[in-house]
């Protein structure tokens, strides 16, 4: 990952009939402004009295984004006999932007929120090497897989302080389903809130039905100092977490990243396709009500149960914190599908929003905007 | 109480490319005097009220979320070289010229570059300086499930006393705009013709 510039504070656009632009001076001004602010706070910082009012300035992000790519999912299982996987997972703490000018210190598996999507078949064995490198971590971490029989789902034997060296555990996946994994270090809520959760999919012996596309999104709440949208660096707020009163509820640690206005833009699908969404609700606290605006979950695998027959044509469901559910949709007509938690204050006020832009032929028999 | 720094996003729509902007506006916090941007002298020093028919040198539009997303006032009138400042009063919005390069159909004069604030959130500002006479229509492109545009969050800046004939903003059929975007724009057209067409 590469460093990025300071969050945009403002930009200046000079517009002319000739197209000549005079931008450079003012873009530089952003940096100058940042410096000025830091200078003006310098004495306070030096005297240790900063923080009475407002937030410290936004910090320089370590990474372009903390958000995982929702399309970064391993291929479906194509083997018929148990096999052994060797996975290596390291924890990484990074400063990243929630939205422009708003930063926090995220905690992650492999530098992304949610952590990587792991995929295997029931009966497979996983040999896991777990590391907490001291150049990337200040805190103790571990990993608890809900797909594992054993103490703490593996957490007891993977608990490492930074730089202590790697731990290795081995487990057999005895039961299928989509399951959460997460950090469980004592302050579970803090570490999960800040990004330490993800999905392990244990496919049943016969696999899952084939689909055209799969997406993987991680919902979580951020409990932070300061107000939603306030410029500056927001430290974790343990009291707000205890009150379950988040400042942000997000997919993948970033405000509306996968929307038309977001940095990455909407996800993509095409008319005629079947799309599967893995809705990983890390929490740490809130129950999610997944709903696809402009579509329906034609197959809904409640709580990630892949053995029971899925429910059909579900508008929404309840996904508790610490559960990955699976929904499938048919792409019947073009246009945007908004993926929301139907507790809609989280959409309007707190940033939880992703879109799938469906491209293809209109079908006026199914939907006609102007009959 | 919120402690929000007013940030400005600036744009200058100039009739010629030579009209460079001298520099960034001073940030109120960075300048250290704590003065609110609204207290700056140019706001009250000159010109008319900014209502249609009474052009101002500088006028402020608030972008509100309640009772529904909209620009207040929806139409402002500035002198050539005048500045419009948008202040965000609730959640997140954009101030985006109607132009194929930014969003939707062309509803600004030919030959000027369209402005676009991108997403701007509560406590932040966006400014555009308009050098060339004409009618400039713009929109809040933010979309949750429906769009702010469809809820009527469209706006108009009239610069100077343009000849209404040939203005793309008035030639374009508002029926192409969604839902209340069309309704509100038709009201703006009626007001504009009534105020500016008799000379």
């Amino acid at each position: 990952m590469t460093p990025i510039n300071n969050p945009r504070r403002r930009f200046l656009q000079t517009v002319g009939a000739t197209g000549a632009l005079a931008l450079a001076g003012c873009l530089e001004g952003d940096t100058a402004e940042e410096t000025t602010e830091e200078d003006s706070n310098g004495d306070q910082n030096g005297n240790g009295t900063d923080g009475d009012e407002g937030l410290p300035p936004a910090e320089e992000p370590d990474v372009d984004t903390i958000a995982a790519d929702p399309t970064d999912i391993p291929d479906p299982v194509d083997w018929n006999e148990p096999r052994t996987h060797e996975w290596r997972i390291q924890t990484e703490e990074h400063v990243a932007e929630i939205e422009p000018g708003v930063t926090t210190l995220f905690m992650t598996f492999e530098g992304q929120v949610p952590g990587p999507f792991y995929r295997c078949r029931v009966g497979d064995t996983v040999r896991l090497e777990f590391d907490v490198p001291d150049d990337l971590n200040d805190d103790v971490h571990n990993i608890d897989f809900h797909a594992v029989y054993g103490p703490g789902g593996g957490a007891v034997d993977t608990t490492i302080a930074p730089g202590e060296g790697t731990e290795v555990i081995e487990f057999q996946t005895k039961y299928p389903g989509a399951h959460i994994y997460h950090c469980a270090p004592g302050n579970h809520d803090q570490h999960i809130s800040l990004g330490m959760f993800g999905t392990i999919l244990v496919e049943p012996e016969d696999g899952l039905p084939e689909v055209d596309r799969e997406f993987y999104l991680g919902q979580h709440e951020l409990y932070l100092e300061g107000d939603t949208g306030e410029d500056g660096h927001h430290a974790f707020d343990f009291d707000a977490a205890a009150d379950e009163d988040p400042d942000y509820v997000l997919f993948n640690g970033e405000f509306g990243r996968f929307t038309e206005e977001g940095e990455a833009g909407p996800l993509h699908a095409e008319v005629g396709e079947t799309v599967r969404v893995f809705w990983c609700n890390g929490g740490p606290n809130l129950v999610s009500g997944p709903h696809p605006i402009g579509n329906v979950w034609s197959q809904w695998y409640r709580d990630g149960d892949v053995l029971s027959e899925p429910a059909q044509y579900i508008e929404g469901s309840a996904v508790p914190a610490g559960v990955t559910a699976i929904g499938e949709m048919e792409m019947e007509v073009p246009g945007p599908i908004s993926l929301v938690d139907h507790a809609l204050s989280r959409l309007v006020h707190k940033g939880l929003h992703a879109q799938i832009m469906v491209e293809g032929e209109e079908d006026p028999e199914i939907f006609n905007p102007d009959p | 109480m919120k402690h929000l720094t007013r940030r400005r996003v600036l744009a200058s729509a100039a009739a010629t490319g030579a009209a460079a902007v001298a520099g960034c506006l001073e940030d109120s916090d960075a300048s250290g005097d704590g003065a609110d941007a609204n207290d700056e002298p140019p706001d009250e020093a000159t010109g008319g009220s900014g209502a249609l028919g009474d052009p101002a040198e500088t006028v402020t539009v608030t972008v509100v979320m309640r009772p529904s997303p909209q620009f207040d006032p929806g139409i402002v009138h500035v002198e050539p070289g005048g500045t419009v400042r948008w202040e965000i009063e609730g959640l997140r919005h954009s101030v985006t010229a109607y132009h194929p390069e930014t969003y939707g159909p062309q509803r600004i004069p030919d030959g000027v570059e369209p402005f676009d604030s991108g997403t701007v959130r509560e406590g932040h500002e966006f400014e555009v300086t308009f050098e060339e006479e004409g009618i400039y229509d713009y929109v809040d492109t933010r979309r949750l499930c429906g769009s702010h545009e469809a809820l009527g969050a469209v706006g108009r800046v009239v610069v100077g006393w343009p000849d209404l004939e040939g203005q793309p903003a008035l030639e374009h059929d508002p029926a192409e705009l969604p839902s209340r975007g069309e309704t509100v724009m038709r009201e703006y057209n009626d007001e504009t013709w009534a105020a500016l067409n008799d000379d």
Side-chain angles (χ1 to χ4, degrees), chain A residues 9-45:
Chain A
R9 294 303 187 84
R10 59 172 121 117
F11 72 90
L12 183 145
Q13 208 177 10
T14 299
V15 186
T18 65
L21 297 177
L23 285 173
C26 284
L27 288 172
E28 290 300 319
D30 287 352
T31 306
E33 176 192 21
E34 191 93 24
T35 305
T36 303
E37 284 190 349
E38 285 169 5
D39 289 349
S40 69
N41 288 333
D43 289 345
Q44 291 180 23
N45 286 334

mmCIF file of all heavy atoms in Angstrom, chain A residues 9-45:
data_model
loop_
_atom_site.group_PDB
_atom_site.id
_atom_site.type_symbol
_atom_site.label_atom_id
_atom_site.label_comp_id
_atom_site.label_asym_id
_atom_site.label_seq_id
_atom_site.Cartn_x
_atom_site.Cartn_y
_atom_site.Cartn_z
ATOM 1 N N ARG A 9 -8.859 19.495 1.991
ATOM 2 C CA ARG A 9 -9.579 20.449 2.820
ATOM 3 C C ARG A 9 -10.457 21.322 1.947
ATOM 4 O O ARG A 9 -11.542 21.678 2.280
ATOM 5 C CB ARG A 9 -8.591 21.314 3.598
ATOM 6 C CG ARG A 9 -7.796 20.528 4.598
ATOM 7 C CD ARG A 9 -8.723 19.818 5.574
ATOM 8 N NE ARG A 9 -7.983 19.182 6.647
ATOM 9 C CZ ARG A 9 -7.587 19.832 7.735
ATOM 10 N NH1 ARG A 9 -7.842 21.098 7.881
ATOM 11 N NH2 ARG A 9 -6.933 19.189 8.675
ATOM 12 N N ARG A 10 -9.931 21.748 0.858
ATOM 13 C CA ARG A 10 -10.715 22.530 -0.070
ATOM 14 C C ARG A 10 -9.965 22.525 -1.378
ATOM 15 O O ARG A 10 -8.765 22.284 -1.413
ATOM 16 C CB ARG A 10 -10.891 23.954 0.428
ATOM 17 C CG ARG A 10 -9.603 24.709 0.640
ATOM 18 C CD ARG A 10 -9.902 26.170 0.933
ATOM 19 N NE ARG A 10 -9.398 26.605 2.208
ATOM 20 C CZ ARG A 10 -8.454 27.562 2.318
ATOM 21 N NH1 ARG A 10 -7.924 28.107 1.268
ATOM 22 N NH2 ARG A 10 -8.058 27.934 3.503
ATOM 23 N N PHE A 11 -10.645 22.791 -2.425
ATOM 24 C CA PHE A 11 -9.917 22.960 -3.666
ATOM 25 C C PHE A 11 -10.479 24.149 -4.380
ATOM 26 O O PHE A 11 -11.580 24.613 -4.092
ATOM 27 C CB PHE A 11 -9.981 21.711 -4.539
ATOM 28 C CG PHE A 11 -11.314 21.468 -5.165
ATOM 29 C CD1 PHE A 11 -11.608 21.994 -6.401
ATOM 30 C CD2 PHE A 11 -12.272 20.722 -4.509
ATOM 31 C CE1 PHE A 11 -12.832 21.780 -6.976
ATOM 32 C CE2 PHE A 11 -13.512 20.516 -5.078
ATOM 33 C CZ PHE A 11 -13.794 21.036 -6.315
ATOM 34 N N LEU A 12 -9.711 24.649 -5.298
ATOM 35 C CA LEU A 12 -10.108 25.852 -5.982
ATOM 36 C C LEU A 12 -10.116 25.568 -7.463
ATOM 37 O O LEU A 12 -9.201 24.989 -8.008
ATOM 38 C CB LEU A 12 -9.122 26.957 -5.645
ATOM 39 C CG LEU A 12 -9.475 28.310 -6.245
ATOM 40 C CD1 LEU A 12 -9.087 29.398 -5.293
ATOM 41 C CD2 LEU A 12 -8.778 28.475 -7.573
ATOM 42 N N GLN A 13 -11.189 25.984 -8.065
ATOM 43 C CA GLN A 13 -11.381 25.687 -9.464
ATOM 44 C C GLN A 13 -11.495 27.024 -10.178
ATOM 45 O O GLN A 13 -12.329 27.832 -9.811
ATOM 46 C CB GLN A 13 -12.693 24.919 -9.584
ATOM 47 C CG GLN A 13 -12.796 23.994 -10.729
ATOM 48 C CD GLN A 13 -14.128 23.241 -10.667
ATOM 49 O OE1 GLN A 13 -15.006 23.554 -9.878
ATOM 50 N NE2 GLN A 13 -14.277 22.272 -11.507
ATOM 51 N N THR A 14 -10.639 27.259 -11.134
ATOM 52 C CA THR A 14 -10.804 28.450 -11.949
ATOM 53 C C THR A 14 -11.277 28.000 -13.310
ATOM 54 O O THR A 14 -10.677 27.153 -13.940
ATOM 55 C CB THR A 14 -9.480 29.201 -12.087
ATOM 56 O OG1 THR A 14 -9.063 29.596 -10.801
ATOM 57 C CG2 THR A 14 -9.659 30.415 -12.967
ATOM 58 N N VAL A 15 -12.358 28.556 -13.718
ATOM 59 C CA VAL A 15 -13.018 28.057 -14.905
ATOM 60 C C VAL A 15 -13.039 29.143 -15.949
ATOM 61 O O VAL A 15 -13.444 30.266 -15.672
ATOM 62 C CB VAL A 15 -14.455 27.644 -14.561
ATOM 63 C CG1 VAL A 15 -15.094 26.984 -15.754
ATOM 64 C CG2 VAL A 15 -14.475 26.737 -13.361
ATOM 65 N N GLY A 16 -12.590 28.841 -17.129
ATOM 66 C CA GLY A 16 -12.617 29.860 -18.167
ATOM 67 C C GLY A 16 -13.028 29.291 -19.503
ATOM 68 O O GLY A 16 -13.000 28.096 -19.724
ATOM 69 N N ALA A 17 -13.410 30.195 -20.398
ATOM 70 C CA ALA A 17 -13.808 29.766 -21.731
ATOM 71 C C ALA A 17 -12.643 29.125 -22.465
ATOM 72 O O ALA A 17 -12.831 28.258 -23.303
ATOM 73 C CB ALA A 17 -14.324 30.968 -22.520
ATOM 74 N N THR A 18 -11.445 29.545 -22.139
ATOM 75 C CA THR A 18 -10.289 28.989 -22.822
ATOM 76 C C THR A 18 -9.831 27.693 -22.184
ATOM 77 O O THR A 18 -9.004 26.995 -22.732
ATOM 78 C CB THR A 18 -9.114 29.965 -22.753
ATOM 79 O OG1 THR A 18 -8.728 30.084 -21.381
ATOM 80 C CG2 THR A 18 -9.490 31.318 -23.300
ATOM 81 N N GLY A 19 -10.343 27.401 -21.062
ATOM 82 C CA GLY A 19 -9.943 26.166 -20.399
ATOM 83 C C GLY A 19 -8.665 26.296 -19.605
ATOM 84 O O GLY A 19 -8.201 25.337 -19.016
ATOM 85 N N ALA A 20 -8.068 27.469 -19.583
ATOM 86 C CA ALA A 20 -6.832 27.604 -18.817
ATOM 87 C C ALA A 20 -7.150 27.537 -17.327
ATOM 88 O O ALA A 20 -8.094 28.120 -16.849
ATOM 89 C CB ALA A 20 -6.169 28.942 -19.131
ATOM 90 N N LEU A 21 -6.367 26.814 -16.624
ATOM 91 C CA LEU A 21 -6.620 26.620 -15.202
ATOM 92 C C LEU A 21 -5.529 27.273 -14.378
ATOM 93 O O LEU A 21 -4.384 27.336 -14.772
ATOM 94 C CB LEU A 21 -6.667 25.130 -14.861
ATOM 95 C CG LEU A 21 -7.790 24.356 -15.549
ATOM 96 C CD1 LEU A 21 -7.686 22.890 -15.191
ATOM 97 C CD2 LEU A 21 -9.138 24.906 -15.154
ATOM 98 N N ALA A 22 -5.914 27.752 -13.259
ATOM 99 C CA ALA A 22 -4.944 28.339 -12.334
ATOM 100 C C ALA A 22 -5.137 27.694 -10.972
ATOM 101 O O ALA A 22 -5.655 28.287 -10.052
ATOM 102 C CB ALA A 22 -5.146 29.845 -12.245
ATOM 103 N N LEU A 23 -4.741 26.461 -10.894
ATOM 104 C CA LEU A 23 -5.065 25.673 -9.713
ATOM 105 C C LEU A 23 -3.919 25.553 -8.728
ATOM 106 O O LEU A 23 -4.130 25.434 -7.534
ATOM 107 C CB LEU A 23 -5.441 24.251 -10.133
ATOM 108 C CG LEU A 23 -6.803 24.072 -10.762
ATOM 109 C CD1 LEU A 23 -6.911 22.650 -11.272
ATOM 110 C CD2 LEU A 23 -7.886 24.353 -9.754
ATOM 111 N N ALA A 24 -2.707 25.587 -9.265
ATOM 112 C CA ALA A 24 -1.599 25.070 -8.472
ATOM 113 C C ALA A 24 -1.454 25.762 -7.129
ATOM 114 O O ALA A 24 -1.315 25.118 -6.105
ATOM 115 C CB ALA A 24 -0.301 25.199 -9.258
ATOM 116 N N GLY A 25 -1.524 27.093 -7.151
ATOM 117 C CA GLY A 25 -1.286 27.829 -5.926
ATOM 118 C C GLY A 25 -2.215 27.424 -4.799
ATOM 119 O O GLY A 25 -1.796 27.284 -3.667
ATOM 120 N N CYS A 26 -3.455 27.172 -5.155
ATOM 121 C CA CYS A 26 -4.406 26.905 -4.090
ATOM 122 C C CYS A 26 -4.389 25.479 -3.621
ATOM 123 O O CYS A 26 -4.687 25.203 -2.477
ATOM 124 C CB CYS A 26 -5.788 27.320 -4.525
ATOM 125 S SG CYS A 26 -5.913 29.102 -4.440
ATOM 126 N N LEU A 27 -4.030 24.567 -4.492
ATOM 127 C CA LEU A 27 -3.871 23.207 -3.996
ATOM 128 C C LEU A 27 -2.718 23.165 -3.005
ATOM 129 O O LEU A 27 -2.779 22.507 -1.983
ATOM 130 C CB LEU A 27 -3.626 22.235 -5.148
ATOM 131 C CG LEU A 27 -4.882 21.992 -5.989
ATOM 132 C CD1 LEU A 27 -4.555 21.175 -7.218
ATOM 133 C CD2 LEU A 27 -5.966 21.312 -5.166
ATOM 134 N N GLU A 28 -1.679 23.920 -3.328
ATOM 135 C CA GLU A 28 -0.585 24.029 -2.364
ATOM 136 C C GLU A 28 -1.099 24.616 -1.053
ATOM 137 O O GLU A 28 -0.652 24.263 0.007
ATOM 138 C CB GLU A 28 0.517 24.931 -2.913
ATOM 139 C CG GLU A 28 1.285 24.322 -4.077
ATOM 140 C CD GLU A 28 1.955 23.033 -3.675
ATOM 141 O OE1 GLU A 28 2.494 22.986 -2.551
ATOM 142 O OE2 GLU A 28 1.932 22.072 -4.454
ATOM 143 N N GLY A 29 -2.070 25.508 -1.207
ATOM 144 C CA GLY A 29 -2.625 26.156 -0.025
ATOM 145 C C GLY A 29 -3.163 25.174 0.992
ATOM 146 O O GLY A 29 -3.153 25.435 2.179
ATOM 147 N N ASP A 30 -3.627 24.019 0.517
ATOM 148 C CA ASP A 30 -4.120 23.024 1.456
ATOM 149 C C ASP A 30 -3.041 22.643 2.452
ATOM 150 O O ASP A 30 -3.260 22.570 3.644
ATOM 151 C CB ASP A 30 -4.542 21.749 0.710
ATOM 152 C CG ASP A 30 -5.834 21.977 -0.049
ATOM 153 O OD1 ASP A 30 -6.437 23.037 0.146
ATOM 154 O OD2 ASP A 30 -6.204 21.080 -0.804
ATOM 155 N N THR A 31 -1.867 22.389 1.904
ATOM 156 C CA THR A 31 -0.775 21.973 2.763
ATOM 157 C C THR A 31 -0.382 23.108 3.706
ATOM 158 O O THR A 31 -0.166 22.897 4.884
ATOM 159 C CB THR A 31 0.444 21.581 1.899
ATOM 160 O OG1 THR A 31 -0.001 20.616 0.955
ATOM 161 C CG2 THR A 31 1.521 20.989 2.756
ATOM 162 N N ALA A 32 -0.361 24.309 3.129
ATOM 163 C CA ALA A 32 0.021 25.448 3.955
ATOM 164 C C ALA A 32 -0.959 25.616 5.111
ATOM 165 O O ALA A 32 -0.569 25.883 6.238
ATOM 166 C CB ALA A 32 0.042 26.714 3.101
ATOM 167 N N GLU A 33 -2.220 25.397 4.784
ATOM 168 C CA GLU A 33 -3.226 25.552 5.821
ATOM 169 C C GLU A 33 -2.997 24.533 6.935
ATOM 170 O O GLU A 33 -3.063 24.860 8.112
ATOM 171 C CB GLU A 33 -4.598 25.345 5.208
ATOM 172 C CG GLU A 33 -5.708 25.393 6.222
ATOM 173 C CD GLU A 33 -7.017 24.893 5.636
ATOM 174 O OE1 GLU A 33 -6.975 24.164 4.629
ATOM 175 O OE2 GLU A 33 -8.040 25.226 6.187
ATOM 176 N N GLU A 34 -2.717 23.314 6.503
ATOM 177 C CA GLU A 34 -2.486 22.252 7.489
ATOM 178 C C GLU A 34 -1.344 22.638 8.415
ATOM 179 O O GLU A 34 -1.427 22.535 9.619
ATOM 180 C CB GLU A 34 -2.140 20.959 6.740
ATOM 181 C CG GLU A 34 -2.123 19.735 7.600
ATOM 182 C CD GLU A 34 -3.493 19.056 7.576
ATOM 183 O OE1 GLU A 34 -4.227 19.268 6.604
ATOM 184 O OE2 GLU A 34 -3.801 18.367 8.534
ATOM 185 N N THR A 35 -0.280 23.129 7.788
ATOM 186 C CA THR A 35 0.890 23.499 8.570
ATOM 187 C C THR A 35 0.553 24.617 9.553
ATOM 188 O O THR A 35 0.916 24.562 10.712
ATOM 189 C CB THR A 35 2.010 23.969 7.625
ATOM 190 O OG1 THR A 35 2.237 22.925 6.690
ATOM 191 C CG2 THR A 35 3.265 24.268 8.390
ATOM 192 N N THR A 36 -0.203 25.582 9.046
ATOM 193 C CA THR A 36 -0.556 26.702 9.905
ATOM 194 C C THR A 36 -1.326 26.229 11.130
ATOM 195 O O THR A 36 -1.058 26.634 12.246
ATOM 196 C CB THR A 36 -1.421 27.703 9.118
ATOM 197 O OG1 THR A 36 -0.693 28.097 7.971
ATOM 198 C CG2 THR A 36 -1.748 28.910 9.964
ATOM 199 N N GLU A 37 -2.273 25.327 10.875
ATOM 200 C CA GLU A 37 -3.059 24.842 11.996
ATOM 201 C C GLU A 37 -2.186 24.123 13.015
ATOM 202 O O GLU A 37 -2.315 24.311 14.216
ATOM 203 C CB GLU A 37 -4.128 23.882 11.501
ATOM 204 C CG GLU A 37 -5.274 24.604 10.838
ATOM 205 C CD GLU A 37 -6.422 23.657 10.571
ATOM 206 O OE1 GLU A 37 -6.223 22.440 10.711
ATOM 207 O OE2 GLU A 37 -7.495 24.155 10.230
ATOM 208 N N GLU A 38 -1.289 23.318 12.487
ATOM 209 C CA GLU A 38 -0.441 22.574 13.411
ATOM 210 C C GLU A 38 0.435 23.537 14.204
ATOM 211 O O GLU A 38 0.638 23.379 15.402
ATOM 212 C CB GLU A 38 0.410 21.552 12.652
ATOM 213 C CG GLU A 38 -0.434 20.354 12.223
ATOM 214 C CD GLU A 38 0.287 19.462 11.249
ATOM 215 O OE1 GLU A 38 1.481 19.724 10.987
ATOM 216 O OE2 GLU A 38 -0.334 18.520 10.764
ATOM 217 N N ASP A 39 0.924 24.559 13.479
ATOM 218 C CA ASP A 39 1.751 25.539 14.170
ATOM 219 C C ASP A 39 0.967 26.257 15.267
ATOM 220 O O ASP A 39 1.447 26.465 16.363
ATOM 221 C CB ASP A 39 2.280 26.575 13.167
ATOM 222 C CG ASP A 39 3.328 25.958 12.257
ATOM 223 O OD1 ASP A 39 3.754 24.818 12.564
ATOM 224 O OD2 ASP A 39 3.694 26.592 11.256
ATOM 225 N N SER A 40 -0.279 26.590 14.914
ATOM 226 C CA SER A 40 -1.063 27.342 15.881
ATOM 227 C C SER A 40 -1.383 26.496 17.114
ATOM 228 O O SER A 40 -1.649 27.018 18.182
ATOM 229 C CB SER A 40 -2.357 27.851 15.252
ATOM 230 O OG SER A 40 -3.222 26.764 14.983
ATOM 231 N N ASN A 41 -1.349 25.171 16.931
ATOM 232 C CA ASN A 41 -1.598 24.304 18.070
ATOM 233 C C ASN A 41 -0.323 23.906 18.799
ATOM 234 O O ASN A 41 -0.363 23.205 19.796
ATOM 235 C CB ASN A 41 -2.307 23.016 17.624
ATOM 236 C CG ASN A 41 -3.747 23.299 17.235
ATOM 237 O OD1 ASN A 41 -4.334 24.245 17.744
ATOM 238 N ND2 ASN A 41 -4.287 22.506 16.337
ATOM 239 N N GLY A 42 0.786 24.351 18.227
ATOM 240 C CA GLY A 42 2.060 23.839 18.711
ATOM 241 C C GLY A 42 2.294 24.092 20.186
ATOM 242 O O GLY A 42 2.681 23.191 20.931
ATOM 243 N N ASP A 43 2.024 25.300 20.618
ATOM 244 C CA ASP A 43 2.276 25.614 22.017
ATOM 245 C C ASP A 43 1.409 24.760 22.931
ATOM 246 O O ASP A 43 1.867 24.252 23.934
ATOM 247 C CB ASP A 43 1.991 27.097 22.274
ATOM 248 C CG ASP A 43 3.048 27.965 21.617
ATOM 249 O OD1 ASP A 43 4.099 27.405 21.237
ATOM 250 O OD2 ASP A 43 2.801 29.177 21.481
ATOM 251 N N GLN A 44 0.162 24.632 22.507
ATOM 252 C CA GLN A 44 -0.731 23.833 23.340
ATOM 253 C C GLN A 44 -0.235 22.403 23.442
ATOM 254 O O GLN A 44 -0.245 21.805 24.511
ATOM 255 C CB GLN A 44 -2.137 23.835 22.749
ATOM 256 C CG GLN A 44 -2.797 25.196 22.864
ATOM 257 C CD GLN A 44 -4.187 25.167 22.280
ATOM 258 O OE1 GLN A 44 -4.786 24.118 22.186
ATOM 259 N NE2 GLN A 44 -4.692 26.325 21.896
ATOM 260 N N ASN A 45 0.177 21.878 22.290
ATOM 261 C CA ASN A 45 0.668 20.506 22.324
ATOM 262 C C ASN A 45 1.876 20.403 23.248
ATOM 263 O O ASN A 45 2.007 19.468 24.026
ATOM 264 C CB ASN A 45 1.048 20.042 20.911
ATOM 265 C CG ASN A 45 -0.206 19.783 20.092
ATOM 266 O OD1 ASN A 45 -1.255 19.481 20.653
ATOM 267 N ND2 ASN A 45 -0.085 19.923 18.794
#
